[in-house]
Amino acid sequence: MRRRNFLALTGAGLATAGLAACGGSESGGGEGGGGGATTMRLAFNQTENHPQFIAFTAMGERLSERTDGALTIEVYPNETLGAQQEAIQLLQDGSLELAMVGGAQMENFSEDYIVFNLPFVFDSQEHQRTVTNDPAIIGELYASLEDQNISVLAGLHGGVRNVYNSKAPVVTPDDMAGLKIRVQESDTHIEMLNLMGGSATPMAQGEVYTAMQSGVLDGAENNELVFNDLKHVEVGPFYSYTRHLMVPDYLIANPAVLADMSDEHRSIFEEELATAVEEEGALWGEKVAEAIEAATAGGGKFNDDVDAEAFRAILGPFSEESVPDSETAQALYQATRDAV
C-alpha cells in the first residue's frame, strides 16, 4: 500500500509542480503532436553504476517505447557535459535539456533551498523522497525558478553523506581537527564542515581524487557509492559514519522541454518520471551494499563507532539557525519536520 500511495503522490507532485511550472497543459499542443523524434540529453556528474544513471537510462528506454521513438533520454555520466555549474548554465541557455544537480547548487538560485541542505533535516530516505515530491510542500519552491529558466521536475535521494579521509577514523568532532575536507560549493556546507571540526574546502567533484592524491585534500564527505565508484577509497580509505547530511538531488529541465511536448507525451513523461523516482530509491540499498563490499576489498575501512550525538549537538542548533527568514523557507522547514 505504501508503494502505491507514493507513486500517486509523486505523480500528483509532478503534475502540479513540474508540469505547471513548464507552461501548463495547453502549451504543448494537441494529442499525439510534437513533430519529430526528440532525444533529451541529461547531464550527470556520477558514474554509470549510480542508481540515478540506471533509473533514468531505463526511463529513456520506456519513453522511447511508449512514444514510438518520439521521445527518449540519453544520460551523459562522469561530467561529460561539464560540472554541475556548467550544466546548469547550458540548461538555462537552452543548449541542454536536462541535468541532475545536487541541492547545494540550488542555493545559488534561491536561498529557500538551503532548508533541504541542512544537517539532520531528513530522518530517512523515505522521509526525504516523500517531502521533495509532495506538491503541498514543494510546489511554490519548485515553481520559483521558472523566471531563471529552470524547471525543477523531481527530488531524488542523493545518499547519506559521511566523512572519509586518508589519516584515521573519525569518532568525535575532535578527530576532525586539521583535516582538509572537500565539501560542495555551498556556504552552508562550508560552515557546517568547519563546525564539525574540520577545514572545509569547496571543490568540484571531478577534482577530488587528484586533490586527495596530492595532499591538497585530506578527505571528503559523501556517500558510499561516490567513495567506491570514484575510487576515493584508494586515496582516503577511512570512512566514518557521521551521517550528518542527506541532501536531495534534483532533476531540472529547461522550461521548453515539457512545454513543447504534446499533452499525450507530457502525460507519459510524468508517469515515467514518477516510476524513475521510485526505482532510484529502491536501487540505493542494493548499490550501497555492493559499494561497501567492493570498497572493503579495495582497502576501505568502514567505521560505525561514531559519536553521532556529539555531531548532532553541534549541528542541530546550526540547522535551526540557518533556516532563511523568508516565509517560504520557514514553512518548508516546519512542513518537513512535521512530515517525519
Side-chain angles (χ1 to χ4, degrees), residues 39-48 50 52-53 56-57 72-92 95-102 105 156 249-254 257:
T39 297
M40 293 171 281
R41 296 161 301 160
L42 196 167
F44 188 52
N45 74 330
Q46 305 289 354
T47 71
E48 296 90 336
H50 196 282
Q52 291 168 6
F53 179 90
F56 283 96
T57 297
T72 191
I73 293 173
E74 185 170 355
V75 186
Y76 289 79
N78 303 311
E79 296 186 341
T80 307
L81 299 181
Q84 292 189 29
Q85 288 183 340
E86 297 169 296
I88 294 171
Q89 184 63 59
L90 288 171
L91 183 143
Q92 289 178 294
S95 302
L96 178 67
E97 293 77 31
L98 302 167
M100 188 69 64
V101 299
Q105 297 294 333
L156 295 108
D249 292 330
Y250 299 93
L251 179 68
I252 63 174
N254 181 279
V257 168

Side-chain angles (χ1 to χ4, degrees), residues 74-133:
E74 185 170 355
V75 186
Y76 289 79
N78 303 311
E79 296 186 341
T80 307
L81 299 181
Q84 292 189 29
Q85 288 183 340
E86 297 169 296
I88 294 171
Q89 184 63 59
L90 288 171
L91 183 143
Q92 289 178 294
D93 292 343
S95 302
L96 178 67
E97 293 77 31
L98 302 167
M100 188 69 64
V101 299
Q105 297 294 333
M106 305 300 278
E107 293 181 21
N108 298 321
F109 304 96
S110 170
E111 68 170 5
D112 293 332
Y113 279 87
I114 290 173
V115 172
F116 293 157
N117 299 343
L118 296 172
F120 301 113
V121 167
F122 298 109
D123 284 20
S124 67
Q125 176 183 338
E126 183 179 4
H127 176 213
Q128 180 189 62
R129 188 169 65 249
T130 300
V131 166
T132 57
N133 291 284

